Amino acid sequence: MRLPWLGNSRRASRQPSSNDIYHTEIIADVPVPERNESVRFFSRKVVRPGKLRRFSNRDLRESLLSCFYLGVAAMLPVSWWGPICGWGSRLRRRRHFRKEFARYDVAVKAVLGNAVDTQEMFEAQLAAIHRRRLTLAAHLVSGWRWSPAIRLEGLEALQQALRNGRGVIIWCDQFTTQTIMGKRALHEAGVDAHQVSAQYHGFSPSKFGLRVINPPLVKVENRFLKSRIVFERTDAYQVTTRIQKTLKANGVVLMTNTVYAGSTFTEAAMGERGWTHLASAPANFAARAGAALFHMATIETVPFRQYRAIVSELSAGPPPPASPARDTATKNLVVQAEYILSKRDHMLETLELCPEQMMAWSSAVRLTERPTEAAIGNDGA
């Protein structure tokens, strides 16, 4: 429903497609012989910068949900939180199914196979997204009343990588609990991390959202971070320099698999017959700086009670042999491709544990074979 005071619907421009916003080109198809597959690298330039809206219908919904879940977290016992989120997710379920389920069904079955019950999974995902909102509210108001158990796996390998002294990059997946609980898991384990974050990080991309809706999320996340490295496309050099300095100082850098924020990304086969898109920046920094690269995924095992944060090191295999015919850039792409496939394997392994909590799914067809479609927005950083 479009509210009348938000503007005339005839004048409101529709969401542009990815082809309208970006000019995308294939950089290279890099084979990985030991795996008998290849990774495709893309470059992407903005040709039609988007214009921020002042306010949107989504802002109204997010504001109401925020107020509602703040009240729930402040006044009701934790045992009620899960059922309330399930009830909240059913309010707009028909609309979500009508507008989003068909694409979700194809994408999930391409990765996990036709036997999976995508309708039940989609309903569970809607509930998980509402639990994500209530998790934020709980950190804002619940105080001592809420003390979930968070198990961090892989801390020993992470500490060993830090002892090597070349810095660590943690490449996070977009599960619903990663944004807050993943950072909290690292913080409680004594890991001081620097988050690489897009300027538009949060629930809303409008001007109102940036000023009112998103700041509470950023504030809560910052409790568990040493610093936040905010980037825009126009200052990529400064951000790159800061990340490099952090790694040289043996710091820990968190990056989220948000492919639409960068100027390059990759495509690799995923699961049964699907294709996934992965950001190339984490692999690129690891290949160039020699930093250790880790996969991270945080899942909710018992709603609001128990969380499991999984950290595991990614492998690039042995370095390619020196050859006059191979330049530095080519070697770098080969190492990146191996990291990409290692990340894909770890992501698929975690995805099979809790697929309903994954917020970002790719497609059943390759990017170059897709029809024009609406751009996807991510807010997982």
Side-chain angles (χ1 to χ4, degrees), residues 22-97:
Y22 305 111
H23 174 68
T24 306
E25 293 181 350
I26 298 174
I27 299 175
D29 284 314
V30 181
V32 183
E34 57 269 25
R35 290 175 174 265
N36 195 29
E37 57 182 316
S38 64
V39 175
R40 177 166 290 179
F41 287 77
F42 290 89
S43 68
R44 177 180 46 232
K45 296 180 180 179
V46 177
V47 295
R48 180 188 170 188
K51 185 177 181 180
L52 287 180
R53 296 181 61 181
R54 293 181 180 178
F55 194 85
S56 68
N57 282 0
R58 180 177 179 180
D59 291 338
L60 179 61
R61 292 193 299 270
E62 291 294 344
S63 299
L64 293 174
L65 281 172
S66 296
C67 293
F68 173 71
Y69 283 128
L70 283 170
V72 171
M75 295 184 291
L76 298 180
V78 179
S79 59
W80 289 29
W81 292 2
I84 288 175
C85 289
W87 170 81
S89 69
R90 290 192 290 271
L91 294 179
R92 291 168 52 84
R93 182 176 294 180
R94 287 187 178 181
R95 183 180 185 277
H96 286 299
F97 267 92

Side-chain angles (χ1 to χ4, degrees), residues 42 78 88 102 106 122 128 152 231 301:
F42 290 89
V78 179
V106 172
F122 188 69
L152 177 60
F231 67 87
T301 53

